[in-house]
Amino acid sequence: MNTYLIPVDFSKTADHAAKYAARLSWTMPNSKLILLNSYYVSEYESILPTPDLMVTTDDRIADEIESRLAALHKLKSKLLEINPQADIEISLSRETILRSVVNRINKEEIDLIILGSNGKRAKNESDIGSNAIKISKASPVPVLVVPPKADYQSIRKAILACDFKKVKEIVPINALKKILSKHEIDLLVLGINAGEEVDQEEEGTLRDMLKDYNPKYYYSAHNDTIKGIVKFAKAEEAQIIIALPKKYSFFEGLLHQSVSHKLTIKSHIPVLLLKD
């Protein structure tokens, strides 16, 4: 079974990622979706009034829980319209979002976390979107980050961005092989040295690691690494970009609010962060 964990906070960002997951599950038989909402009330919130002078009483907490469960059921119904055969579980956690995700992963085998990233015009829209990097760093399993404008497409072509440095340490080869073995994907490796001389030994190591999958190799000297990667992915009509787990500079940049309108709003390419 393919089990997908989808953290949701009922924002458009999170709902979009959940719908993406439902469409993905349609193409993956024997899939399970877990809609996870986090409702954490600190000790201070139960003692001190909110800015509007409201105290978080037990009754208010109970009402909020009931409201969130109703919203989870409503979202589940929407996803079943996309994939009527989907196995969907709803889960409400009273922990913080990070702890909720980690605890769920420890509870059962999760294959993939799917979450949405906030666009430039949705700076404060989604708490999950604004914490995408933290969730990804805390997660021991792969994370798929879905941009606001990303419509689901069957994955036929993937871009693996790599700077050919410390390849054996950086490339999560086991996780990558697991993905490539499950799907018929054309893999394009993009060197992102931005004009630096390529380390031939490191590149040779990567070529040897991936030789069974016959990837094609390209090189980008674009001064803006992020723009160079996405421009290349768009030109190649790729469906996904693979970011490396120990190279968060690219991943953080892709999600950062200061990135260009093209990346944060118009990009249709999800980012997959793999973990070994």
Side-chain angles (χ1 to χ4, degrees):
M1 173 177 286
N2 296 293
T3 303
Y4 306 133
L5 179 63
I6 307 106
V8 297
D9 56 10
F10 313 121
S11 64
K12 290 182 179 179
T13 297
D15 283 5
H16 178 67
K19 291 175 181 177
Y20 186 100
R23 294 185 177 94
L24 174 62
S25 71
W26 179 266
T27 66
M28 299 292 291
N30 197 28
S31 296
K32 177 182 178 181
L33 306 181
I34 303 172
L35 302 177
L36 174 65
N37 178 248
S38 171
Y39 175 46
Y40 175 68
V41 179
S42 69
E43 294 182 7
Y44 295 104
E45 289 178 273
S46 62
I47 299 173
L48 301 176
T50 63
D52 55 1
L53 301 180
M54 301 295 289
V55 178
T56 307
T57 64
D58 290 343
D59 287 342
R60 289 189 179 278
I61 291 174
D63 289 343
E64 181 66 19
I65 289 175
E66 183 178 353
S67 175
R68 287 171 180 258
L69 287 173
L72 283 168
H73 281 289
K74 184 177 180 180
L75 179 57
K76 176 179 177 179
S77 296
K78 289 181 180 179
L79 301 189
L80 287 173
E81 292 177 3
I82 296 173
N83 181 7
Q85 306 302 320
D87 178 6
I88 303 176
E89 175 187 338
I90 63 172
S91 178
L92 178 63
S93 169
R94 294 297 309 280
E95 302 285 353
T96 63
I97 182 59
L98 287 177
R99 187 177 295 276
S100 298
V101 169
V102 173
N103 286 348
R104 189 69 201 217
I105 292 171
N106 291 334
K107 180 179 177 181
E108 65 183 286
E109 184 174 351
I110 302 294
D111 295 288
L112 182 67
I113 295 174
I114 302 176
L115 50 80
S117 66
N118 286 339
K120 187 175 181 180
R121 295 177 182 173
K123 184 175 181 180
N124 299 314
E125 180 185 2
S126 171
D127 182 56
I128 290 172
S130 62
N131 283 285
I133 295 170
K134 292 181 180 179
I135 293 173
S136 300
K137 287 183 175 181
S139 166
V141 302
V143 176
L144 182 68
V145 182
V146 183
K149 296 293 184 180
D151 292 325
Y152 176 76
Q153 303 178 62
S154 60
I155 301 174
R156 303 178 303 278
K157 188 180 293 186
I159 307 298
L160 173 63
C162 182
D163 60 6
F164 300 122
K165 296 177 181 178
K166 299 182 179 180
V167 167
K168 289 184 178 180
E169 297 178 25
I170 297 300
V171 178
I173 190 62
N174 293 329
L176 185 58
K177 286 184 176 181
K178 185 177 180 180
I179 295 293
L180 297 175
S181 298
K182 281 187 176 181
H183 309 277
E184 292 185 7
I185 299 176
D186 291 333
L187 181 64
L188 279 57
V189 178
L190 180 64
I192 53 173
N193 292 62
E196 297 180 17
E197 184 176 348
V198 175
D199 188 318
Q200 298 296 326
E201 183 177 350
E202 291 289 336
E203 181 181 350
T205 299
L206 183 62
R207 286 179 179 270
D208 185 60
M209 292 166 68
L210 299 175
K211 62 183 179 182
D212 293 339
Y213 304 99
N214 300 312
K216 296 179 181 179
Y217 289 80
Y218 300 84
Y219 305 89
S220 172
H222 202 294
N223 290 330
D224 188 317
T225 299
I226 300 168
K227 290 183 179 179
I229 294 170
V230 174
K231 182 178 180 180
F232 176 79
K234 282 181 172 286
E236 291 293 332
E237 298 183 342
Q239 290 75 44
I240 198 168
I241 296 172
I242 300 174
L244 303 180
K246 295 182 182 178
K247 299 293 287 185
Y248 277 98
S249 57
F250 161 66
F251 187 58
E252 291 178 358
L254 189 62
L255 300 178
H256 197 275
Q257 298 301 334
S258 65
V259 177
S260 71
H261 179 86
K262 181 178 180 180
L263 287 182
T264 56
I265 300 299
K266 295 186 177 180
S267 176
H268 63 284
I269 304 173
V271 177
L272 177 65
L273 182 63
L274 290 181
K275 298 285 187 72
D276 261 333

